């Protein structure tokens, strides 16, 4: 005789099926939540990783020897300006929410000059050199974009001997994730000539060492005779470029290269770009001319100075 299923067994079976259904639903909800939370985390991390502290002429670093930065000037010029700001040059809309207090240090590298006759000016103060060094503290207010400009004043006749090491160090390094700003600032004389021309050269090629002696290759680009746009291209399979260069020179990435606006009358007549060996190649060149075949600089349009 066939027997029916007891009510007790039906009840237990219903409970088990309901528990299984709830488990599947909870797992799906957790999966969706985790995926969304991961996406939010990625967005937060991308913004958090942006170092909101930079300069138009100083390099942002974690250590090491300062790189050289060549700027265009005339012998009659008596000052050199740069700025420090609380945002990244490539992502200027992301500013630091906290105040950034920092120490500025200016050092005249040529000890044969009397640095005590020089000064550094901010918007509201003047600071003098003592024993070849000038130091003072300043700050950038947080909560909005802020920028402060500093001017190095120097005397007549000292132009060709000038070489400044400038360092800007946050008092609280955690605000800038351990980064600080530094560079060796060197003026390059701008001489008006007929017609507009552009010149590019390896900054270290005159030191008697092969490219293989360096971990990076600095190229100085100079425009003379007027303003213009210069196009820089390079072999991307053999060389990597400084990732901050385009933003630092207000350039535009196009056609596999970078177009750079240059004008010696507003201190953009000279710029320096750093190249590195491509990680997949890691070649060592024994001759600077051999390395030149992978870098090309050309003037694409210009306006002569009057």
């Amino acid at each position: 005789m066939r027997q029916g299923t007891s009510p007790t067994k039906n009840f237990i079976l219903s409970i088990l099926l309901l528990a299984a259904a709830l488990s599947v639903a909870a797992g799906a909800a957790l999966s969706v939540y985790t995926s969304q939370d991961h996406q939010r985390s990625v967005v937060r991390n991308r913004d958090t990783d942006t170092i909101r502290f930079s300069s138009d002429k100083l390099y942002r670093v974690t250590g090491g020897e300062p790189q050289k930065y060549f700027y265009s000037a005339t012998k009659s010029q008596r000052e050199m300006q740069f700025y420090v700001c609380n945002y990244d040059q490539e992502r200027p809309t992301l500013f630091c929410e906290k105040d950034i207090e920092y120490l500025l240090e200016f050092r005249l590298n040529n000890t044969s000059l009397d640095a005590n006759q020089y000064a550094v000016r901010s918007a509201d103060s003047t600071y003098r050199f003592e024993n070849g060094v000038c130091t003072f503290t300043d700050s950038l207010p947080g909560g909005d974009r802020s920028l402060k400009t500093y001017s190095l004043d120097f005397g007549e006749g000292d132009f060709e001997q000038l070489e400044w090491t400038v360092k800007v160090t946050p008092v609280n390094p955690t605000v800038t994730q351990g980064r600080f700003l530094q560079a060796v600032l060197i003026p390059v004389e701008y001489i008006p000539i007929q017609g507009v021309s552009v010149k590019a050269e390896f900054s270290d090629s005159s030191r008697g060492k092969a490219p293989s002696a360096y971990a990076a290759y600095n190229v100085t680009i100079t425009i003379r005779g007027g303003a213009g746009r210069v196009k820089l291209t390079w072999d991307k399979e053999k060389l990597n470029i400084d990732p901050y260069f385009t933003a630092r020179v207000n350039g535009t990435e196009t056609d596999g290269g970078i177009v750079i606006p240059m004008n010696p009358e507003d201190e953009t007549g000279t710029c320096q770009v750093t190249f590195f060996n491509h990680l997949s190649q890691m070649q060592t060149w024994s001759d600077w001319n051999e390395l030149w075949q992978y870098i090309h600089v050309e003037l694409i349009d210009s306006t002569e100075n009057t």
Side-chain angles (χ1 to χ4, degrees), residues 200-212:
E201 59 185 348
F202 285 111
S203 309
D204 301 307
S205 60
S206 61
R207 298 191 175 188
K209 295 181 180 180
S212 57

Side-chain angles (χ1 to χ4, degrees), residues 55-69:
S55 169
D56 61 330
K57 290 184 173 66
L58 308 182
Y59 299 96
R60 188 173 57 207
V61 297
T62 56
E65 292 297 316
Q67 297 184 54
K68 294 180 179 179
Y69 183 91

Side-chain angles (χ1 to χ4, degrees), residues 59 67 240-246 248 272-276:
Y59 299 96
Q67 297 184 54
N240 288 330
I241 195 171
D242 172 9
Y244 301 105
F245 174 73
T246 303
R248 193 166 63 243
Q272 182 171 269
V273 55
T274 302
F275 289 97
F276 308 89

Side-chain angles (χ1 to χ4, degrees), residues 37-304:
D37 189 60
H38 171 70
Q39 292 173 0
R40 288 194 296 268
S41 176
V42 169
V43 173
R44 285 197 300 267
N45 288 341
R46 186 182 296 119
D47 290 349
T48 302
D49 289 343
T50 301
I51 311 301
R52 304 172 190 193
F53 185 56
S54 63
S55 169
D56 61 330
K57 290 184 173 66
L58 308 182
Y59 299 96
R60 188 173 57 207
V61 297
T62 56
E65 292 297 316
Q67 297 184 54
K68 294 180 179 179
Y69 183 91
F70 296 87
Y71 64 94
S72 179
T74 63
K75 284 190 174 182
S76 61
Q77 191 170 331
R78 296 289 178 269
E79 68 174 9
M80 187 281 302
Q81 292 186 341
F82 71 94
Y83 67 75
V84 174
C85 59
N86 70 341
Y87 52 85
D88 181 74
Q89 297 291 304
E90 289 190 335
R91 306 185 71 186
T93 58
L94 296 179
F95 51 82
C96 188
E97 294 290 347
K98 298 180 179 180
D99 294 353
I100 304 177
E101 184 180 4
Y102 49 89
L103 173 69
L104 298 99
E105 180 180 347
F106 300 80
R107 184 178 301 275
L108 181 62
N109 296 341
N110 191 333
T111 57
S112 65
L113 296 176
D114 181 14
N116 293 339
Q117 63 179 314
Y118 305 143
V120 178
R121 289 183 293 108
S122 64
D124 51 10
S125 300
T126 298
Y127 306 90
R128 309 299 304 186
F129 279 77
E130 293 184 12
N131 300 318
V133 179
C134 176
T135 59
F136 58 93
T137 57
D138 207 341
S139 63
L140 293 166
D144 200 352
R145 281 167 48 103
S146 59
L147 176 152
K148 289 196 174 180
T149 300
Y150 303 95
S151 297
L152 266 168
D153 294 341
F154 47 86
E156 184 177 0
D158 297 341
F159 182 92
E160 295 178 350
Q161 305 177 67
L162 291 175
E163 187 175 297
W164 313 88
T165 295
V166 181
K167 185 175 182 181
V168 182
T169 308
V171 174
N172 181 3
T174 60
V175 177
T176 60
Q177 299 184 35
R179 270 67 164 186
F180 60 92
L181 309 173
Q182 68 174 8
V184 177
L185 302 178
I186 303 174
V188 176
E189 183 182 5
Y190 161 66
I191 303 175
I193 58 176
Q194 290 297 109
V196 181
S197 64
V198 64
K199 178 183 179 182
E201 59 185 348
F202 285 111
S203 309
D204 301 307
S205 60
S206 61
R207 298 191 175 188
K209 295 181 180 180
S212 57
Y214 299 92
Y217 317 109
N218 297 316
V219 176
T220 301
I221 304 172
T222 304
I223 192 172
R224 293 183 173 182
R229 293 190 304 152
V230 176
K231 185 174 182 180
L232 169 67
T233 55
W234 66 98
D235 189 330
K236 294 178 175 59
E237 293 185 357
K238 291 184 167 56
L239 294 168
N240 288 330
I241 195 171
D242 172 9
Y244 301 105
F245 174 73
T246 303
R248 193 166 63 243
V249 297
N250 294 319
T252 304
E253 296 184 2
T254 179
D255 297 333
I258 299 172
V259 175
I260 312 164
M262 302 185 72
N263 186 352
E265 293 189 346
D266 63 8
E267 290 193 6
T268 62
T270 298
C271 64
Q272 182 171 269
V273 55
T274 302
F275 289 97
F276 308 89
N277 273 329
H278 197 286
L279 292 178
S280 64
Q281 297 289 328
M282 295 306 293
Q283 299 188 29
T284 55
W285 289 279
S286 59
D287 184 80
W288 290 102
N289 291 328
E290 180 185 5
L291 184 54
W292 260 129
Q293 65 182 310
Y294 304 113
I295 302 172
H296 183 66
V297 178
E298 64 174 324
L299 182 67
I300 56 177
D301 57 44
S302 62
T303 303
E304 289 189 31

